[in-house]
């Protein structure tokens, strides 16, 4: 008998925290790009003014998480590589907060439905929380 993916007992390891953080950042970026590209949600006439910033911020969250995940910190290179990785993680966290502010602007400006804003904001908060947990774990490991 097989176990469904969502019901598997996955251990809380540093590698899994990294994977989860990057996965949620990716899902947030994909959802944001789809939403901002939808002409039924954002009118084409007014889209570029705010949606460019929204997409750029969501993409930056994913790229910073991805890049931080690809920086390998070892005992030999810890002093050189850990600050870079930490800086990218911190920037991704700050960009999640920035994205929440931009969603807050888009809500009244484009008359977005409350459910859409709630789901989108929840995605940003989840990504931010996963990146924070990952960063806290790294601080514990490398400091």
């Amino acid at each position: 008998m097989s176990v469904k993916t969502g019901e598997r007992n996955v251990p809380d390891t540093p590698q899994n925290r990294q994977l989860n953080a990057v996965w949620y950042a990716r899902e947030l970026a994909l959802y944001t790009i789809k939403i901002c590209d939808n002409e039924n949600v954002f009118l084409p006439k007014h889209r570029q003014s705010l949606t460019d910033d929204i997409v750029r911020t969501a993409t930056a969250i994913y790229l910073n998480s991805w890049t931080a995940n690809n920086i390998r910190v070892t005992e030999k290179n810890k002093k050189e590589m850990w600050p870079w990785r930490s800086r990218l993680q911190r920037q991704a966290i700050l960009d999640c907060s920035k994205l929440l502010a931009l969603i807050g602007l888009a809500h009244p400006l484009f008359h977005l439905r409350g459910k859409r804003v709630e789901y989108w904001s929840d995605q940003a908060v989840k990504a931010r929380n996963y990146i924070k947990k990952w960063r806290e774990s790294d601080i514990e490991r490398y400091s």
Side-chain angles (χ1 to χ4, degrees):
M1 184 163 126
S2 63
V3 178
K4 293 178 185 174
T5 305
E7 296 174 3
R8 290 184 186 146
N9 186 12
V10 180
D12 187 29
T13 63
Q15 292 80 12
N16 287 337
R17 278 192 286 280
Q18 289 169 241
L19 180 63
N20 286 339
V22 175
W23 179 259
Y24 276 100
R26 178 183 175 270
E27 291 301 311
L28 174 64
L30 289 172
Y31 182 77
T32 301
I33 292 166
K34 286 178 186 176
I35 291 294
C36 291
D37 199 37
N38 187 344
E39 292 182 3
N40 295 327
V41 178
F42 292 99
L43 301 174
K45 181 177 170 185
H46 302 288
R47 264 192 0 211
Q48 286 186 339
S49 58
L50 185 60
T51 56
D52 286 350
D53 284 342
I54 292 172
V55 169
R56 194 176 306 115
T57 303
T59 306
I61 293 166
Y62 174 58
L63 293 176
N64 285 333
S65 300
W66 177 265
T67 306
N69 188 42
N70 286 311
I71 294 175
R72 298 290 170 235
V73 180
T74 62
E75 285 301 318
K76 291 182 180 180
N77 69 7
K78 184 164 70 169
K79 287 186 180 183
E80 179 186 347
M81 300 308 267
W82 164 236
W84 283 27
R85 181 171 165 139
S86 176
R87 193 173 309 121
L88 289 166
Q89 290 169 334
R90 186 175 60 235
Q91 188 59 49
I93 292 166
L94 292 173
D95 284 341
C96 285
S97 297
K98 180 181 175 181
L99 181 61
L100 287 169
L102 292 170
I103 293 169
L105 283 175
H107 182 220
L109 188 63
F110 295 107
H111 309 290
L112 300 177
R113 289 191 341 238
K115 285 185 178 184
R116 181 179 304 273
V117 172
E118 185 179 332
Y119 178 77
W120 197 3
S121 299
D122 187 50
Q123 294 291 95
V125 169
K126 274 185 189 175
R128 182 178 64 187
N129 288 341
Y130 274 97
I131 296 168
K132 275 184 180 180
K133 286 179 188 175
W134 172 30
R135 185 164 187 270
E136 290 167 2
S137 170
D138 277 3
I139 288 171
E140 199 174 293
R141 284 172 58 193
Y142 301 127
S143 294

